Amino acid sequence: MIQEYLRFIRHSWPILIFGMMTVFMGNFGQSFFISWFGSSFQESLGLSATSYGTAYSTATLASGLLLMWIGGSIDKVSLEKFVIFCTIGLSLAALTLWQANNLTMLVIGIFLLRFFGQGLFPHTAITTMMKTFSLNRGKGLSVATTGIPLGEILLPSLAVFLIAQFGWQQSWMVIALSVPLLYLPLALFLIKRGKNKKYAEHDPTADNETSKPLVEHGSRRTLLSDVRFWLALPIVLATPFIVTGIFIHQGFFLPQMGWTPMLFANCFVFYGVTHWLSSMYAGVLVDRFSGRQLLKYHLIPMLMALLLASQLTGNWVAYALLISLGTAIGSGSPIINALWAEVYGTKHLGRIRALMASLAVISTSISPILFGYLIDNGTTGSQLFFWLSMYVLLAMFLAFFSYANEKPLET
């Protein structure tokens, strides 16, 4: 596996580095990073937990709906222009939070941060990998999405440092300047350098023993009218839904399970490492077996850990839970993203990927509210973990009847 990656990276390094750093910059809009500023938002603006949770979910939901519309533009405009647009947007998001002094500005800032950071930055990178590579699509996706676990390992410490040195508002000014000054020049250089390389691995119109099966190019309408898509949707959305809910409400889960904040912070290191390792390994498996065949299996570790957390307590359960969540989210990214190209082709991939990213963002806006409702109505941590495991089990069952082991869709 290591040799496969080394040969691949040696030949394709410009576009792979672009993908990885673009995904990394998108971490500024991910829940795990924003959560480090949550208490500062509430204290400075005098917000209750309910008010902050509602504001966060509202902003996230709005960003998900907009992403469904704007994300498809990557099929129509040049990659350079799209990257410049994303850079301006993420900088504007950070500048808005820098000046946030009321709830309205906070909602606008979080909306922009989620739309550009959680939404368009990884969407740009992942769509580029999916369109650029075919035989090595799984490995390309794995290398690019390495930017997420790198962020999970590095950015919490950066957030703590920035807040300690500059305060929470000035920290966002530092972030706002870093995007156009550090990221954009390097991104444009790598895109230009990447254009001078040839990544075509086979004739996409061919259908011979050395290439993957011919895929007719399906549209977003094709996907939505395909019953297999609706059967696969619960397993596709399971990881962002569950992970976001657990992280946002970690203040409830920690005392319920007898875990300290320091313990949970230490678990994040293992979460990030397993996220990275599982993503890299899953990329190789996708290239060997296809995302269609792997879809129904990748949540097995999460199912086992959720059942474990619903029955047992102890510090080791926290490590098991975070490791399983890292494994699920790491392996799921190359498997699920490769699936859309395998079944529906690449012509309308930006629109399809935008729809899926939008649905994932919407799911992350629902789980904080739903979890909060259940918590307020007396659901214990163990009970919530049990019901989450039942959801995962049902999603895996439905996935067996979706795309698994089927030929690509003909349109």
Side-chain angles (χ1 to χ4, degrees):
M1 183 183 78
I2 295 176
Q3 291 299 321
E4 288 184 47
Y5 270 108
L6 289 176
R7 286 193 297 268
F8 177 53
I9 293 172
R10 189 179 302 117
H11 179 262
S12 310
W13 64 268
I15 201 69
L16 292 174
I17 294 177
F18 162 77
M20 182 172 65
M21 62 182 289
T22 300
V23 170
F24 180 87
M25 296 302 292
N27 284 316
F28 290 120
Q30 297 287 358
S31 296
F32 79 86
F33 183 77
I34 301 174
S35 65
W36 291 97
F37 294 85
S39 59
S40 298
F41 291 151
Q42 294 181 58
E43 292 173 7
S44 299
L45 303 181
L47 302 176
S48 66
T50 301
S51 298
Y52 175 61
T54 302
Y56 188 88
S57 293
T58 301
T60 300
L61 178 61
S63 71
L65 294 174
L66 184 61
L67 179 62
M68 195 181 305
W69 174 49
I70 298 294
S73 300
I74 197 171
D75 290 332
K76 304 175 183 178
V77 303
S78 68
L79 182 58
E80 293 90 339
K81 291 181 180 178
F82 204 78
V83 166
I84 292 172
F85 170 67
C86 294
T87 299
I88 293 172
L90 187 58
S91 296
L92 181 61
L95 288 173
T96 303
L97 290 175
W98 169 51
Q99 291 295 309
N101 55 15
N102 55 59
L103 181 59
T104 300
M105 289 193 69
L106 177 65
V107 171
I108 294 173
I110 293 177
F111 160 73
L112 292 172
L113 196 63
R114 298 290 274 170
F115 176 65
F116 287 99
Q118 184 198 28
L120 284 187
F121 263 76
H123 172 65
T124 301
I126 291 171
T127 302
T128 301
M129 297 302 106
M130 293 164 72
K131 288 189 172 187
T132 301
F133 303 109
S134 177
L135 294 180
N136 291 301
R137 183 176 288 130
K139 288 190 284 292
L141 288 167
S142 294
V143 173
T145 53
T146 297
I148 296 177
L150 281 178
E152 291 163 347
I153 294 171
L154 299 175
L155 290 184
S157 298
L158 176 64
V160 172
F161 172 79
L162 290 176
I163 293 172
Q165 293 295 316
F166 306 106
W168 74 267
Q169 285 187 293
Q170 297 299 325
S171 298
W172 288 108
M173 167 58 83
V174 176
I175 294 170
L177 293 176
S178 69
V179 184
L181 297 181
L182 298 180
Y183 165 78
L184 184 59
L186 183 55
L188 294 177
F189 165 77
L190 291 169
I191 293 172
K192 182 178 181 180
R193 183 66 181 267
K195 286 185 175 180
N196 297 325
K197 284 183 169 288
K198 295 182 179 180
Y199 300 110
E201 301 152 300
H202 71 290
D203 181 355
T205 63
D207 187 14
N208 53 53
E209 61 183 9
T210 62
S211 66
K212 291 191 175 181
L214 177 65
V215 177
E216 295 290 343
H217 296 291
S219 65
R220 194 149 61 181
R221 181 178 299 177
T222 308
L223 177 139
L224 292 174
S225 62
D226 187 355
V227 67
R228 299 176 302 172
F229 163 72
W230 297 103
L231 291 172
L233 190 60
I235 200 170
V236 169
L237 298 181
T239 303
F241 175 82
I242 291 173
V243 170
T244 299
I246 291 175
F247 286 174
I248 290 297
H249 288 285
Q250 61 181 272
F252 164 77
F253 286 107
L254 295 186
Q256 282 272 315
M257 302 299 293
W259 302 334
T260 65
M262 181 60 67
L263 169 70
F264 207 63
N266 291 336
C267 291
F268 259 93
V269 176
F270 291 86
Y271 171 81
V273 171
T274 53
H275 184 165
W276 172 63
L277 291 176
S278 62
S279 176
M280 300 298 283
Y281 188 62
V284 174
L285 293 180
V286 166
D287 292 336
R288 292 179 182 176
F289 300 105
S290 82
R292 294 191 306 278
Q293 295 186 44
L294 298 172
L295 178 68
K296 57 186 178 290
Y297 299 115
H298 80 281
L299 290 189
I300 291 176
M302 178 187 282
L303 173 63
M304 296 175 63
L306 289 172
L307 285 171
L308 189 69
S310 71
Q311 301 298 321
L312 301 173
T313 57
N315 292 350
W316 67 276
V317 177
Y319 285 97
L321 179 64
L322 268 292
I323 288 172
S324 75
L325 294 180
T327 301
I329 202 168
S331 61
S333 182
I335 291 171
I336 293 170
N337 284 302
L339 172 68
W340 311 129
E342 292 171 6
V343 179
Y344 301 104
T346 58
K347 184 177 180 179
H348 304 289
L349 192 56
R351 293 177 180 85
I352 292 174
R353 179 63 181 70
L355 172 63
M356 299 315 305
S358 176
L359 292 175
V361 172
I362 291 171
S363 76
T364 66
S365 74
I366 295 173
S367 59
I369 297 176
L370 179 59
F371 282 33
Y373 173 81
L374 294 173
I375 290 168
D376 290 341
N377 283 274
T379 303
T380 66
S382 297
Q383 290 172 336
L384 194 49
F385 282 131
F386 174 77
W387 287 115
L388 290 175
S389 69
M390 291 300 99
Y391 165 59
V392 172
L393 185 62
L394 176 61
M396 291 173 59
F397 174 75
L398 293 176
F400 270 85
F401 301 95
S402 58
Y403 300 104
N405 301 317
E406 294 188 13
K407 294 181 180 180
L409 180 70
E410 294 184 2
T411 57

